[in-house]
Amino acid sequence: MVESKPLDASCDKLILTEEQTRCVLNAGKRSLIIEGKGKTGKSLVLMRVYAKLLENGSVGENNKIAFFESISELNQYVNSIYEELVADKEAPDMNLIDSKERVQTAEKALDKHKSQFGRHRFHSIDADLWLEEFDWIKGMNIDQDDIDGYLMLDHSERDKAIKMNPADRVIAFQIFSIYSEMLKDNNQVDALDQALYLFRHKELIPDSMKMSHVLLDDGQRLTKIQASILGLLSTGTVVVAVNGATADVSWGPKDLGDSVEIRRLTISQKPRVKETIEEKQEDPKEKAPIVDKKHSQEKRKYTIDTSKARSGSLFRQLREKGGTRVRLADGLNQEVEEQPKLDKAVYDKLIEEKTLSSFLEAFKMLRKCMITRKMDDQYKVLIERMVVLQESMEKYKEVYDPDIYDFCEYYVPEILRLTETYLEYVDAGLKWRILHDKETDIVSALEGLVIAINGKIDEIYMYASINLTAKAKAVESMMGQDGYVKPEYKI
């Protein structure tokens, strides 16, 4: 039985909007998906729904309510069911892997794939992103023996995280299979393995572990299988709060069960007075920013928090109401104008053109955005060398036509996509370590591209030189035939 969770007394002080009230009135009558942007009161509605369910009947054997405040709590409950099945010898006795060891296993899988199949760009992708891919695969009811099922899935949403063509997806499934095999060899499973087992053996779920009503917050991160598990756990209704829109997640209303209604919250829930920015008290221990004497008379508009700054880091979060991100030169506190956002429509169009000219324009767009100094330096060199390549190809087009298919179809587009992903990470405010690792990977890839372009330029001039030598020999031969030779060679 799931114990009654304590209600936040402050929730009762807030007056519900009309949209929120409609959701609460349906409590216990039908399953709901409550969707909306941040600060629209989704969690508040869940709390009120929970309170109403408690009022409608005392919590007991016939009225058990599960309130999962996160997917992590759902995973813990699924694990408890799985362990009960193991105790009854109805499920394989395997250990649940912890998050740290899971990352290590993913990294080992990447290394093993590299040693077996050779180097691939996927090997430089962060293990955390691969674990998201693995969870998505399992969450779509796919295991390591079902490559055909994986290849038939719509991967368009996942392409935002890891861009793949059909051939790449075969490589991705190889990595997934190696990871899955490593878990088996270590007698381990992860949370999605347990959820997948329960989904495929739903008849084994004990009635004692099922609930009259199931509520879950932060449901946008659910996989399709996990959403189905919520439906299997409930004998009555399911209520899930989703940050955003249901259309943007990998599961749908049917995964929760029949007759699921979607309610959208659009009105922002105003914060209590004590939480407003104007009445926040600054920490007296916080050090005042260092102000240049030259500008000592000017009022500082911003305060940059560099308490966690490391040597060489370039980005930190600017403290202000809007939360603007700025570039710091050489780790110093310097106020600069906010960098423009990447125009994705124009950027995508330039990449799709797949010409040297369009790539040059894309490079220039990136240099105007919030990339690091190292990346900016490499893109500057790349622009200079690509212009030389372009001019060389035009100048010697009658002499030699270099093969730049791989450049246009793969090398350059992939690096541009990697940099685009990096900018998305920056906008999302990811941790310094992740940003730094991505920066290192991209700079390394850019350096390799510059080397490759220089090699292509050398190739063009080598053939131009051969052609020049051949022409010189031909002219000399013709002149010899006409009697124009060096005096020492005359008869």
Side-chain angles (χ1 to χ4, degrees), residues 71 74-75 78 132-142 149 153-154 158 192 195-196 198-200 202 219-232 238 240 246-257:
I71 296 175
L74 172 63
N75 289 339
V78 168
E132 289 179 11
E133 180 74 11
F134 299 160
D135 286 348
W136 179 79
I137 294 173
K138 295 176 184 179
M140 300 302 286
N141 196 16
I142 301 292
L153 294 175
D154 180 6
R158 288 296 306 154
L192 263 295
L196 188 56
L198 292 187
F199 177 77
R200 292 182 174 182
K202 51 181 72 73
Q220 68 278 1
R221 297 187 180 277
L222 281 173
T223 64
K224 194 175 182 70
I225 288 297
Q226 289 171 323
S228 298
I229 291 295
L230 289 176
L232 293 174
V238 179
V240 179
T246 310
D248 298 330
V249 299
S250 62
W251 54 277
K254 290 183 178 179
D255 295 310
L256 298 178

Side-chain angles (χ1 to χ4, degrees), residues 306-317:
T306 56
S307 59
K308 297 181 180 179
R310 304 188 190 184
S311 176
S313 61
L314 298 177
F315 296 102
R316 290 294 174 266
Q317 191 70 29

Side-chain angles (χ1 to χ4, degrees), residues 356 388-397 402 404 460:
L356 297 184
V388 174
L389 175 61
Q390 200 174 25
E391 292 174 348
S392 302
M393 290 175 61
E394 179 64 27
K395 184 176 181 179
Y396 297 108
K397 61 183 178 181
I404 59 170
I460 294 172

Side-chain angles (χ1 to χ4, degrees), residues 63-78:
N63 187 39
K64 295 185 292 186
I65 305 171
F67 191 158
F68 302 113
E69 295 189 49
S70 65
I71 296 175
S72 176
E73 290 187 1
L74 172 63
N75 289 339
Q76 291 172 19
Y77 191 67
V78 168

Side-chain angles (χ1 to χ4, degrees), residues 267-326:
I267 302 172
S268 295
Q269 184 74 31
K270 293 183 179 180
R272 284 159 282 168
V273 177
K274 65 179 180 180
E275 292 182 351
T276 57
I277 295 173
E278 287 73 17
E279 294 198 16
K280 277 189 178 180
Q281 299 297 319
E282 292 188 6
D283 186 352
K285 296 181 181 179
E286 186 175 355
K287 295 181 179 179
I290 300 173
V291 182
D292 191 342
K293 292 181 180 180
K294 181 179 179 181
H295 303 89
S296 59
Q297 300 303 318
E298 298 179 9
K299 181 180 178 181
R300 284 187 68 88
K301 185 178 179 181
Y302 309 118
T303 300
I304 301 174
D305 180 12
T306 56
S307 59
K308 297 181 180 179
R310 304 188 190 184
S311 176
S313 61
L314 298 177
F315 296 102
R316 290 294 174 266
Q317 191 70 29
L318 188 65
R319 278 189 182 173
E320 60 167 342
K321 294 180 184 180
T324 308
R325 193 174 286 279
V326 298

